[in-house]
Amino acid sequence: SQKIEQNSEALNIQEGKTATLTCNYTNYSPAYLQWYRQDPGRGPVFLLLIRENEKEKRKERLKVTFDTTLKQSLFHITASQPADSATYLCVPTGTASKLTFGTGTRLQVTL
Amino acid sequence: DTGVSQDPRHKITKRGQNVTFRCDPISEHNRLYWYRQTLGQGPEFLTYFQNEAQLEKSRLLSDRFSAERPKGSFSTLEIQRTEQGDSAMYLCASSLEGAGGISPLHFGNGTRLTVT
């Protein structure tokens, strides 16, 4: 069955550093991969989508990589700020209409 | 764009009661999804609609759950004979699916259900 692995433990980093979150997937051949941000008590918010033929995608301080050989995506936040503290969800996406979300990694950025 | 709205935000009910949640998607979106999320987990797919047609239901969805989307606009999710295991955040999302590509989901802020 399809499996998505994200670090279940929280990632704690200092303000100004780069945060790197990992998403590994198995039994999947997604054509796309999406990342969402979720704050406590709120619904997820879409951040970025990367296609299988794109190695890297950037949006402001965010950068996503997608390695279909390793079956892995890395999500980077540069110059992190306390406001970046949230849970980040990885969503490998194929042609199926329903999306399967990872469990998410909680990022805590401290001063 | 007023976003996806869900009502109520919180619902506390006693085991065995029926509950109904409402979702108003972004008006031009043709797809509507229901997800359920428990603490420490990612959202879990329940069902989705393309306009008014319910196209897929999760095998995890028991027959106590039913969803409708009359006229392809708002949607309701009903849970009959609630059980304590139904306690969760119920999330609604919508998207505009076109001829190609992937359209990201726009989520509401959910209805938190507590079954006592």
Side-chain angles (χ1 to χ4, degrees), chain A residues 32 34 36 38 41-44 46 49 89 93-94 97-99 101-103, chain B residues 9 31 33 35 37 41-43 45 48 56 91 101-102 104-105 107-109:
Chain A
Y32 311 86
Q34 302 183 58
Y36 287 75
Q38 187 172 26
R42 316 276 289 192
F46 171 75
L49 178 149
L89 300 159
T93 305
S97 298
K98 70 177 192 182
L99 298 185
F101 285 75
T103 54
Chain B
R9 288 281 282 131
R31 283 209 178 160
Y33 301 78
Y35 279 79
Q37 187 175 26
Q41 301 298 311
F45 172 80
Y48 90 94
E56 189 170 350
L91 293 162
I102 294 291
L105 299 189
F107 281 87
N109 286 323

Side-chain angles (χ1 to χ4, degrees), chain B residues 7-8 10-22 34 36 46 63-68 75-90 111-116:
Chain B
D7 184 69
H10 303 275
K11 178 72 178 177
I12 300 174
T13 192
K14 295 190 176 189
R15 185 165 53 94
Q17 298 294 304
N18 299 344
V19 294
T20 300
F21 311 140
R22 178 180 170 120
W34 284 99
R36 175 172 64 190
L46 294 179
D63 56 9
R64 296 184 297 106
F65 288 70
S66 62
E68 293 182 344
S75 175
T76 58
L77 177 69
E78 181 183 17
I79 309 174
Q80 296 183 326
R81 304 180 305 281
T82 52
E83 302 172 357
Q84 288 186 321
D86 297 331
S87 295
M89 174 79 87
Y90 289 84
T111 293
R112 180 165 296 285
L113 173 66
T114 302
V115 182
T116 61

